[in-house]
Short mmCIF file of all heavy atoms in Angstrom, two decimals:
data_model
loop_
_atom_site.label_atom_id
_atom_site.label_comp_id
_atom_site.label_asym_id
_atom_site.label_seq_id
_atom_site.Cartn_x
_atom_site.Cartn_y
_atom_site.Cartn_z
N GLY V 268 -15.65 23.29 3.67
CA GLY V 268 -16.28 24.53 4.09
C GLY V 268 -17.12 24.40 5.34
O GLY V 268 -17.42 25.40 5.99
N ARG V 269 -17.49 23.16 5.67
CA ARG V 269 -18.31 22.92 6.87
C ARG V 269 -17.48 22.55 8.08
O ARG V 269 -18.02 22.40 9.19
CB ARG V 269 -19.31 21.79 6.59
CG ARG V 269 -20.32 22.12 5.49
CD ARG V 269 -21.13 20.88 5.15
NE ARG V 269 -22.14 21.16 4.13
CZ ARG V 269 -22.88 20.24 3.51
NH1 ARG V 269 -22.70 18.96 3.82
NH2 ARG V 269 -23.78 20.57 2.61
N MET V 270 -16.18 22.35 7.89
CA MET V 270 -15.32 21.88 8.98
C MET V 270 -14.96 23.01 9.93
O MET V 270 -14.62 24.11 9.50
CB MET V 270 -14.05 21.26 8.41
CG MET V 270 -14.27 20.00 7.61
SD MET V 270 -14.79 18.64 8.68
CE MET V 270 -15.17 17.40 7.43
N GLU V 271 -15.02 22.71 11.20
CA GLU V 271 -14.61 23.69 12.21
C GLU V 271 -13.12 23.95 12.08
O GLU V 271 -12.31 23.04 11.88
CB GLU V 271 -14.93 23.15 13.60
CG GLU V 271 -14.64 24.14 14.73
CD GLU V 271 -15.02 23.59 16.09
OE1 GLU V 271 -15.61 22.49 16.14
OE2 GLU V 271 -14.72 24.27 17.08
N GLY V 272 -12.73 25.22 12.16
CA GLY V 272 -11.34 25.59 12.10
C GLY V 272 -10.80 25.76 10.70
O GLY V 272 -9.59 25.97 10.52
N ILE V 273 -11.67 25.68 9.66
CA ILE V 273 -11.26 25.83 8.26
C ILE V 273 -12.20 26.82 7.59
O ILE V 273 -13.42 26.77 7.81
CB ILE V 273 -11.27 24.48 7.53
CG1 ILE V 273 -10.25 23.52 8.16
CG2 ILE V 273 -10.99 24.66 6.04
CD1 ILE V 273 -10.32 22.10 7.62
N LYS V 274 -11.66 27.71 6.78
CA LYS V 274 -12.49 28.71 6.10
C LYS V 274 -12.07 28.85 4.64
O LYS V 274 -10.89 28.72 4.30
CB LYS V 274 -12.38 30.08 6.79
CG LYS V 274 -13.09 30.16 8.14
CD LYS V 274 -13.15 31.60 8.62
CE LYS V 274 -14.00 32.47 7.72
NZ LYS V 274 -14.15 33.85 8.25
N ARG V 275 -13.05 29.15 3.81
CA ARG V 275 -12.77 29.49 2.42
C ARG V 275 -12.29 30.92 2.36
O ARG V 275 -12.88 31.81 2.98
CB ARG V 275 -14.05 29.32 1.58
CG ARG V 275 -13.87 29.70 0.11
CD ARG V 275 -15.15 29.48 -0.65
NE ARG V 275 -16.23 30.34 -0.17
CZ ARG V 275 -16.42 31.59 -0.56
NH1 ARG V 275 -15.61 32.16 -1.45
NH2 ARG V 275 -17.42 32.30 -0.08
N ILE V 276 -11.21 31.14 1.63
CA ILE V 276 -10.70 32.51 1.56
C ILE V 276 -11.40 33.27 0.43
O ILE V 276 -11.82 32.68 -0.56
CB ILE V 276 -9.16 32.54 1.38
CG1 ILE V 276 -8.74 31.98 0.04
CG2 ILE V 276 -8.48 31.79 2.50
CD1 ILE V 276 -7.26 32.09 -0.23
N ALA V 277 -11.53 34.57 0.59
CA ALA V 277 -12.20 35.43 -0.39
C ALA V 277 -11.18 35.93 -1.40
O ALA V 277 -10.32 36.75 -1.06
CB ALA V 277 -12.89 36.59 0.32
N LEU V 278 -11.25 35.45 -2.63
CA LEU V 278 -10.31 35.86 -3.66
C LEU V 278 -10.79 37.15 -4.32
O LEU V 278 -11.99 37.42 -4.42
CB LEU V 278 -10.18 34.77 -4.71
CG LEU V 278 -9.64 33.41 -4.22
CD1 LEU V 278 -9.68 32.40 -5.35
CD2 LEU V 278 -8.23 33.56 -3.68
N ASP V 279 -9.83 37.93 -4.81
CA ASP V 279 -10.21 39.16 -5.48
C ASP V 279 -10.88 38.90 -6.83
O ASP V 279 -11.64 39.72 -7.33
CB ASP V 279 -8.99 40.08 -5.66
CG ASP V 279 -7.87 39.43 -6.47
OD1 ASP V 279 -7.96 38.22 -6.77
OD2 ASP V 279 -6.91 40.14 -6.81
N MET V 280 -10.58 37.75 -7.44
CA MET V 280 -11.23 37.33 -8.68
C MET V 280 -11.50 35.83 -8.58
O MET V 280 -10.67 35.08 -8.07
CB MET V 280 -10.33 37.60 -9.89
CG MET V 280 -10.10 39.07 -10.20
SD MET V 280 -8.91 39.26 -11.56
CE MET V 280 -9.71 38.32 -12.86
N PRO V 281 -12.67 35.36 -9.03
CA PRO V 281 -12.97 33.93 -8.94
C PRO V 281 -12.07 33.10 -9.85
O PRO V 281 -11.58 33.59 -10.88
CB PRO V 281 -14.44 33.84 -9.38
CG PRO V 281 -14.65 35.06 -10.23
CD PRO V 281 -13.78 36.12 -9.63
N LEU V 282 -11.87 31.86 -9.47
CA LEU V 282 -11.10 30.93 -10.29
C LEU V 282 -12.01 30.27 -11.32
O LEU V 282 -13.23 30.19 -11.13
CB LEU V 282 -10.48 29.85 -9.40
CG LEU V 282 -9.42 30.33 -8.41
CD1 LEU V 282 -9.08 29.22 -7.43
CD2 LEU V 282 -8.17 30.79 -9.15
N PRO V 283 -11.45 29.79 -12.43
CA PRO V 283 -12.28 29.06 -13.41
C PRO V 283 -12.94 27.85 -12.77
O PRO V 283 -12.33 27.15 -11.95
CB PRO V 283 -11.27 28.64 -14.48
CG PRO V 283 -10.13 29.58 -14.33
CD PRO V 283 -10.05 29.90 -12.88
N ALA V 284 -14.19 27.61 -13.13
CA ALA V 284 -14.92 26.47 -12.58
C ALA V 284 -14.55 25.20 -13.34
O ALA V 284 -14.14 25.23 -14.51
CB ALA V 284 -16.42 26.71 -12.68
N VAL V 285 -14.68 24.07 -12.66
CA VAL V 285 -14.47 22.76 -13.29
C VAL V 285 -15.80 22.30 -13.86
O VAL V 285 -16.82 22.28 -13.16
CB VAL V 285 -13.95 21.74 -12.27
CG1 VAL V 285 -13.86 20.34 -12.89
CG2 VAL V 285 -12.58 22.16 -11.74
N GLU V 286 -15.82 21.94 -15.13
CA GLU V 286 -17.02 21.42 -15.76
C GLU V 286 -17.08 19.90 -15.59
O GLU V 286 -16.07 19.22 -15.66
CB GLU V 286 -17.03 21.75 -17.26
CG GLU V 286 -17.16 23.23 -17.57
CD GLU V 286 -17.27 23.49 -19.07
OE1 GLU V 286 -17.31 22.51 -19.85
OE2 GLU V 286 -17.33 24.68 -19.45
N ILE V 287 -18.29 19.41 -15.36
CA ILE V 287 -18.54 17.97 -15.40
C ILE V 287 -19.31 17.72 -16.69
O ILE V 287 -20.40 18.27 -16.89
CB ILE V 287 -19.32 17.48 -14.17
CG1 ILE V 287 -18.42 17.51 -12.92
CG2 ILE V 287 -19.78 16.04 -14.37
CD1 ILE V 287 -18.26 18.84 -12.28
N ARG V 288 -18.72 16.92 -17.57
CA ARG V 288 -19.28 16.69 -18.90
C ARG V 288 -19.60 15.22 -19.09
O ARG V 288 -18.99 14.34 -18.48
CB ARG V 288 -18.33 17.17 -19.99
CG ARG V 288 -17.94 18.65 -19.85
CD ARG V 288 -17.18 19.15 -21.06
NE ARG V 288 -18.03 19.20 -22.25
CZ ARG V 288 -18.78 20.25 -22.59
NH1 ARG V 288 -18.79 21.35 -21.84
NH2 ARG V 288 -19.53 20.22 -23.67
N GLN V 289 -20.58 14.97 -19.97
CA GLN V 289 -21.00 13.60 -20.26
C GLN V 289 -20.75 13.28 -21.73
O GLN V 289 -20.99 14.12 -22.61
CB GLN V 289 -22.51 13.44 -19.98
CG GLN V 289 -23.03 12.03 -20.19
CD GLN V 289 -24.53 12.01 -20.52
OE1 GLN V 289 -24.95 12.38 -21.60
NE2 GLN V 289 -25.34 11.59 -19.54
N ALA V 290 -20.28 12.08 -22.00
CA ALA V 290 -20.11 11.60 -23.36
C ALA V 290 -20.61 10.16 -23.42
O ALA V 290 -20.62 9.45 -22.41
CB ALA V 290 -18.65 11.68 -23.80
#
Side-chain angles (χ1 to χ4, degrees):
R269 296 172 178 171
M270 294 291 173
E271 184 178 355
I273 297 172
K274 288 191 65 175
R275 178 179 63 84
I276 67 175
L278 298 175
D279 59 352
M280 293 175 57
L282 294 170
V285 175
E286 293 184 3
I287 289 80
R288 303 189 68 88
Q289 183 206 72

